Amino acid sequence: LLHLSRRRTREAVPFPSLMFIAQVPYRSVRRRRLRDRLLLLLRCLAIALLAMAFARPLLRAAPETARDTRRDVVLLVDTSFSMGYGDHMERAKDAANDLLSGLQPGDRAAVVSFAESATAQGAFSGDAVVLGQQVATLEPGPGRTRYSTAFKTARSLLLDSSAANREVVLIGDLQRGDFGENEDARLPPGVGVTIVDVGEGGKALSNLAITEVSLDRRPIDNASEAREEIEVSARVLRRGPVGDDGPAVEAELWIDGRQVGRREAELEADGSANLAFEPVVLPSDVYSRGEVRISGDLLEADNRFRFTVSPGDSIPVLILDGGPGGRSPYVAGALATGTRPRFRLDRTSANSVRADEIQRARVIVIDDALSRLTADARSALIDAVERGAGALVLLGRSESGGLPAWGLDGDEPLRQELSGRSLASIDYDHPIFSPFAAARSGDLSGARFFRYRGLSELPSRDRDKAADSSREAAAGDAANREGERVGGDASVVARFDDGSAALIERRVGRGRVAIWASTLDAEWGDLVLQPVFVPWIDRTMQHLAGFEPDRPFYRVGQVARLDLGERQGEEWLVVDPAEKRTTVPAERELLLPVRADGFYEVRPVEGNAQRALVVAANLDPVESDLTRLDAVELRLSLSQESVTVETAAESGEDRAAVERQRIWWYVLLGALLLLAIEGWLANRKGRRVPRMERAENWNADGLTAGRPST
C-alpha cells in the first residue's frame, strides 16, 4: 500500500501568459497500477529483514551430551573449639557426607579442616569412601575460627583445577571469629560459594567460660621447709541467656589432681563474677599444677582453666666488699626485702673470693673492690658475665684498678660538689628506669650526690681514635643526649646535672655490666635514704640477671619462653598434652610453641625429674563467644568476587543463548543495505519521465489540458 500511494512530484513550468492554453477537462482518470516491481521487492525484503533482526533468531547449540559437567568441590569444615557445642560437629559430618553422596561420576572433592589454620586432608579425589574416612576423623580442636585461612587454602586448591564447574562449600556453626578481608582469600573467577549452617539458627546460645585466673603468692618464712601460701581467684563469665540449669554456677579448685576448694555464684544473662578460693599452702621448690573447673553447659572445652605454680623465684647475688670499709649493707638490706623474686645473698671479701663462688652467682656486686680482685677472680668474673651473668660495679674511694674488657683503665677522676648533684638526664625507656616513668612511681631526681667519679664513655680501645676527633662537638652532644650509644657496645642510661655520666651499661658476651659512678651509701650521696632506692635496686638486680617471672599460664597460639639456666651438654624432653615426646638441644632459653590446651612438661632426658618445668596452656576466650556471623556478611567480607561469580554462574545459560543470537546483527546490516539501495534506485527513477506518459498528456493543439509536464 505504501508503494502504491507514493506519487511523483512534477516540476511546475512558469508561462508568461495563459492565453494560448485551452482548458480541457479530464475525460478519464488513469487507474494506478504496479510499474516498479523491483522497488516493491526491495522494500518488502528490507522490512522483512528488519522484523527478523528485532526478533533475534536463535541458532541451535551443539548437543548437550558434549557439554563438560565435571565438578571440583572444596569442602571447608570448621573444627574450632566452638564446634564442640552440643552436636554441632556431628551435624557438620552429616552435612559433609550428604554432599559427598551427591557427587556424580567425574566429580571430585577435597576435604579441608580449618580453625586458626587450615589443613587439607588430602588432594582432590572422586572416591567417596576415602573422602568419607577423612570426614570421620575430624574433631573440634583448640584453635579459634579464622575464615580467611580457610578461603585462602580453598583458593590455592582451585587455582590448579581444570574442571568446568568449581565450588566451595563451607560447613560450620558461623561463630563470629576472624573474618577480616584478605586479598589472598578471594576466590578465582567462576567459583560458586555455598554455606551450610549447622548451628542453632537464630537461637541465642548460653555458654559458661573461665576467662582468667590470678595468683597471690606469699612466702611462709617460719616454715620448716620452703613453702608458700597461694590464693587463687578465677573470673567466670556467662555469655548469652541463662540456661535450663538456672543461674547457679559451682567452681572447683584442683591442685596436683586433688580438689582443695569450692565456690558458688549466681550468674544472670551476660553476667560475670570473680571467685576467690581459700588460700592453699604449697611447696615453693617444685612446680604445682592447678586447675579451676565449672560445669553446666553444652561447651565443655572452656570449662577448665589450667595454671602452674612455679618454684619460688630466687636470684643468687654475690656481693664483693672492698674490705672492712665496704658499704654493701645498704644494698644487702634493700635486696633482703624482695619477695618476687627473692634474692639469695652471699657476701665475701673481694681479695678472697673463689672462682666457683663467682660462677654460681647470677649477679655480682663489686662494691669499691675492683682493684682488689685477683687474676683468677678477674678471669672468672669476665667468664661468668660472658655466659650470661650480670655485674654491678660501684666506684668508690679507691681507683678501680682497671678492667680493659669493660673499658675501665682505673684512672677515673674524683669529683666533689659541696652543694651536691642530682640525676637530670635519665633514660626512662631503659628497663632499669622504666618502672619509674609514670607519675607518682618514684622521684629519682630528689637524691643528691656529693662525690662521684668521672666516667669515660668510650672503651679504652677506642679512646685513642676518639682523641683525634673534634672533642668539643662530641662533648657538647654527649652532654645533651639521654641513653645514647657510646663506643658501639655501651650506653649512658643516666647523667648528673652537669652532663657527666652517672650510670653506664655495657653488653659483655651474653651478660650485662652496669657501672655506677658513685657509691651506694649515706656518705657520698643520699640515694639510699630515698623511698625510691629499694624498688630501684630491686629492678636493677632483675635486669642484670635477665630475670623474667614464670607465667602461670599461656594461651593457645602463643610461644612460651623458658629459662633453662646453665645446663650445658644436656638434652631436654618436651612432652605435650597429647603425650607426644620431642627432644630439643640444651640452650639457655627455650622457645616452646603452644599449640594445644593442657600441660606441657619440659625435663632433662637424663637427670632428676624434680628439675622438670611445667607450662599450662588454655584456650582463647574469644572463641567462647558464640555470637553468630551473618552468612551474607561472611561472603561479602571474605570473597567479594565469589558473590559476583555466583550470580554470573546462575545466568550462564542466558549468556550462552545471547552468544547464539549474534546473527541478528548481520540481518540488521542487510536490511540497512537494502534500504540504501532502494533509496538510490527510487531517486534515479523519479528523475526520469517515461516517453509514453509524456505523449499521452498532449492534446491535438500541442498543449496539455492540465498542468504542463517537463
Side-chain angles (χ1 to χ4, degrees), residues 35-208:
R35 289 176 296 174
D36 297 327
R37 292 179 175 81
L38 179 59
L39 282 178
L40 175 62
L41 179 62
L42 290 177
R43 289 168 181 170
C44 292
L45 184 58
I47 293 176
L49 290 180
L50 283 176
M52 182 182 298
F54 284 103
R56 294 195 179 188
L58 181 69
L59 296 180
R60 287 294 179 184
E64 294 292 333
T65 55
R67 183 179 177 183
D68 187 3
T69 60
R70 294 178 304 152
R71 280 198 310 160
D72 277 354
V73 182
V74 176
L75 193 59
L76 303 176
V77 183
D78 186 359
T79 56
S80 61
F81 82 77
S82 66
M83 288 291 291
Y85 188 95
D87 60 347
H88 289 181
M89 197 67 222
E90 296 302 323
R91 295 184 188 180
K93 292 182 179 181
D94 293 341
N97 290 326
D98 291 343
L99 186 141
L100 295 177
S101 63
L103 295 178
Q104 302 297 322
D107 293 349
R108 301 185 305 169
V111 179
V112 178
S113 61
F114 75 93
E116 189 79 16
S117 60
T119 303
Q121 303 298 315
F124 279 109
S125 173
D127 192 336
V129 176
V130 173
L131 296 173
Q133 293 175 349
Q134 296 175 0
V135 172
T137 60
L138 301 180
E139 295 296 337
R144 57 178 294 189
T145 305
R146 188 179 295 274
Y147 294 103
S148 58
T149 60
F151 278 81
K152 182 178 179 180
T153 302
R155 173 185 174 87
S156 63
L157 291 173
L158 292 176
L159 284 176
D160 298 331
S161 173
S162 60
N165 302 300
R166 295 175 293 175
E167 186 179 357
V168 174
V169 180
L170 174 67
I171 302 178
D173 59 355
L174 298 187
Q175 187 268 344
R176 181 178 291 275
D178 178 14
F179 60 95
E181 292 190 9
N182 190 332
E183 291 297 328
D184 294 336
R186 297 182 182 274
L187 298 177
V191 178
V193 177
T194 302
I195 297 178
V196 180
D197 182 9
V198 298
E200 304 295 332
K203 180 181 178 182
L205 303 181
S206 176
N207 181 40
L208 291 172

Side-chain angles (χ1 to χ4, degrees), residues 182-407:
N182 190 332
E183 291 297 328
D184 294 336
R186 297 182 182 274
L187 298 177
V191 178
V193 177
T194 302
I195 297 178
V196 180
D197 182 9
V198 298
E200 304 295 332
K203 180 181 178 182
L205 303 181
S206 176
N207 181 40
L208 291 172
I210 306 174
T211 59
E212 195 78 21
V213 164
S214 60
L215 306 179
D216 185 11
R217 307 177 60 169
R218 296 181 293 270
I220 303 177
D221 295 330
N222 57 358
S224 58
E225 56 184 11
R227 302 181 73 82
E228 285 184 318
E229 186 179 64
I230 312 296
E231 183 176 350
V232 180
S233 298
R235 179 175 177 80
V236 183
L237 181 67
R238 182 190 296 277
R239 299 183 186 272
V242 177
D244 298 334
D245 297 335
V249 177
E250 184 178 83
E252 299 176 348
L253 175 62
W254 292 70
I255 300 292
D256 292 332
R258 60 187 181 91
Q259 182 180 338
V260 297
R262 177 179 298 178
R263 281 288 182 269
E264 294 183 358
E266 297 285 332
L267 291 182
E268 300 296 335
D270 296 322
S272 62
N274 289 320
L275 304 181
F277 296 91
E278 292 291 335
V280 181
V281 177
L282 298 176
S284 62
D285 56 350
V286 295
Y287 276 89
S288 297
R289 307 186 186 198
E291 189 174 356
V292 179
R293 304 175 184 176
I294 58 175
S295 60
D297 64 351
L298 297 178
L299 183 59
E300 298 182 355
D302 54 3
N303 289 357
R304 293 188 175 189
F305 199 100
R306 303 165 183 87
F307 62 92
T308 60
V309 182
S310 59
D313 297 312
S314 62
I315 299 176
V317 177
L318 175 62
I319 300 177
L320 302 180
D321 283 336
R327 286 159 293 279
S328 58
Y330 289 95
V331 177
L335 298 180
T337 62
T339 59
R340 188 71 175 168
R342 306 183 71 178
F343 297 97
R344 300 199 312 269
L345 300 178
D346 189 8
R347 180 178 174 183
T348 186
S349 177
N351 52 15
S352 61
V353 64
R354 301 190 308 273
D356 60 324
E357 294 178 306
I358 295 177
Q359 296 293 341
R360 288 196 301 265
R362 289 283 296 274
V363 180
I364 302 97
V365 180
I366 309 168
D367 185 12
D368 195 12
L370 195 58
S371 60
R372 292 180 171 83
L373 291 175
T374 63
D376 293 340
R378 284 173 177 256
S379 177
L381 180 61
I382 294 174
D383 182 65
V385 173
E386 288 179 347
R387 290 191 296 110
L392 176 60
V393 179
L394 306 178
L395 302 181
R397 295 180 178 85
S398 60
E399 293 185 356
S400 65
L403 197 59
W406 295 346

